[in-house]
């Protein structure tokens, strides 16, 4: 069983489109995250949710909107996609709000905006 | 806020040699330091971690050391193998913090 699953794995879309990425974890963890990994491999946090409550909202364009219907799911919706949004997006989860046992990452979604 | 610096950004070694990657952190309240390995096209995976009450931890060919006074920690890989080739990330989490802060990654290449 996949612990943290993301869909889709690959996403190719045109500028200006709206797209969503879904994430689900079956670990019973309380906290979920979205990270963006750019071409230089840097992992930059975007959002985190703890038990459906927004905890972290980094300086991210408001075209990006997370949504957590329950603590096992965290989705990411992106409006009006731009070329600079091309990256790999990783979902992750941790047992508690303070990640003292680290993260479990999903397999990533490679977003390409053309 | 928390800042983690990682060096070197690239590291190339011969098979069988040792590899060392170093990180420094800015927040003295940091108490948890994991290391992640990311193979090409894959997700980052936790390989070892250390907490602030421990100075060293070893797991087979990998070890991590922590110097709280100097605020730095290191990953040591001995007897490197080609399958160790990957990007390695250090990270830090501080008490009551709500995230891991990652270093910029080290691309390790082990040449056969």
């Amino acid at each position: 069983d996949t612990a943290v699953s993301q869909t889709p794995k690959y996403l190719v879309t045109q500028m200006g489109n709206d797209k969503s990425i879904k994430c689900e974890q079956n670990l019973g963890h309380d906290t979920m995250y979205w990270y963006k990994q750019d071409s230089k491999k840097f992992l930059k946090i975007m959002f985190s949710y703890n038990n459906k409550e927004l905890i972290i909202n980094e300086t991210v364009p408001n075209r990006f909107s997370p949504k957590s219907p329950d603590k096992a799911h965290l989705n990411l919706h992106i409006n009006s996609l731009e070329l600079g949004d091309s990256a790999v997006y990783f979902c992750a989860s941790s047992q508690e709000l303070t990640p003292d046992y680290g993260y479990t990452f999903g397999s990533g979604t490679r977003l390409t905006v053309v | 806020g928390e800042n983690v610096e990682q060096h070197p950004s690239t590291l190339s070694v011969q098979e069988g040699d040792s590899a060392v990657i170093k990180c420094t952190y800015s927040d003295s309240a940091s108490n948890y330091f994991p290391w992640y390995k990311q193979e090409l096209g894959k997700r980052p995976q936790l390989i070892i971690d250390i907490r602030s009450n421990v100075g060293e931890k070893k797991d087979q060919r990998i070890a991590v050391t922590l110097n709280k006074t100097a605020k730095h920690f290191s990953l040591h890989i001995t007897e490197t193998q080609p399958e160790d080739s990957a990007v390695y990330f250090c990270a830090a989490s501080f008490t009551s913090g709500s995230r891991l802060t990652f270093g910029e990654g080290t691309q390790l290449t082990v040449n056969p």
Side-chain angles (χ1 to χ4, degrees):
Chain A
D1 276 343
T2 303
V4 181
S5 59
Q6 284 179 239
T7 54
K9 190 167 175 62
Y10 300 97
L11 188 51
V12 181
T13 188
Q14 291 188 325
M15 279 195 305
N17 284 350
D18 303 339
K19 290 293 178 185
S20 292
I21 307 171
K22 295 186 177 182
C23 180
E24 176 181 2
Q25 54 96 3
N26 63 4
L27 297 166
H29 286 176
D30 286 344
T31 310
M32 297 182 72
Y33 310 80
W34 279 112
Y35 275 79
K36 178 181 181 181
Q37 186 172 48
D38 59 24
S39 57
K40 294 184 178 179
K41 301 294 187 183
F42 185 61
L43 286 161
K44 181 177 169 59
I45 192 165
M46 301 172 69
F47 303 101
S48 78
Y49 273 75
N50 179 257
N51 280 318
K52 303 193 298 177
E53 181 185 350
L54 179 66
I55 302 297
I56 295 171
N57 185 354
E58 290 291 286
T59 307
V60 175
N62 57 15
R63 298 182 294 103
F64 290 78
S65 53
K67 190 166 288 186
S68 182
D70 55 60
K71 77 171 194 176
H73 295 84
L74 179 61
N75 304 322
L76 183 65
H77 188 76
I78 315 170
N79 289 326
S80 304
L81 278 155
E82 300 177 357
L83 293 176
D85 297 332
S86 296
V88 179
Y89 292 83
F90 284 101
C91 176
S93 70
S94 64
Q95 278 186 282
E96 298 171 355
L97 179 59
T98 300
D100 280 354
Y101 297 93
Y103 292 165
T104 301
F105 282 92
S107 57
T109 296
R110 181 173 294 277
L111 172 65
T112 303
V113 183
V114 297
Chain B
E2 177 70 271
N3 186 44
V4 177
E5 293 189 359
Q6 183 171 347
H7 301 280
S9 56
T10 60
L11 179 59
S12 183
V13 300
Q14 288 299 122
E15 184 176 359
D17 288 351
S18 295
V20 180
I21 302 170
K22 298 182 179 182
C23 290
T24 59
Y25 58 96
S26 58
D27 193 323
S28 57
S30 294
N31 64 340
Y32 175 65
F33 307 91
W35 286 88
Y36 286 81
K37 176 183 180 182
Q38 186 180 24
E39 296 176 356
L40 188 62
K42 301 278 183 69
R43 74 189 79 192
Q45 292 199 292
L46 180 68
I47 55 171
I48 195 167
D49 57 14
I50 192 167
R51 300 183 191 282
S52 58
N53 59 347
V54 175
E56 184 174 358
K57 184 176 179 181
K58 191 172 181 181
D59 183 3
Q60 299 182 343
R61 294 187 298 108
I62 59 173
V64 57
T65 58
L66 172 64
N67 183 328
K68 285 168 51 180
T69 304
K71 291 191 284 186
H72 67 69
F73 56 113
S74 301
L75 178 71
H76 304 253
I77 307 174
T78 58
E79 301 172 26
T80 53
Q81 301 166 4
E83 50 265 39
D84 294 330
S85 296
V87 178
Y88 291 81
F89 292 95
C90 63
S93 169
F94 57 96
T95 306
S96 77
S98 56
R99 72 185 76 184
L100 290 177
T101 300
F102 288 88
E104 294 189 349
T106 296
Q107 174 69 62
L108 173 65
T109 303
V110 180
N111 301 301

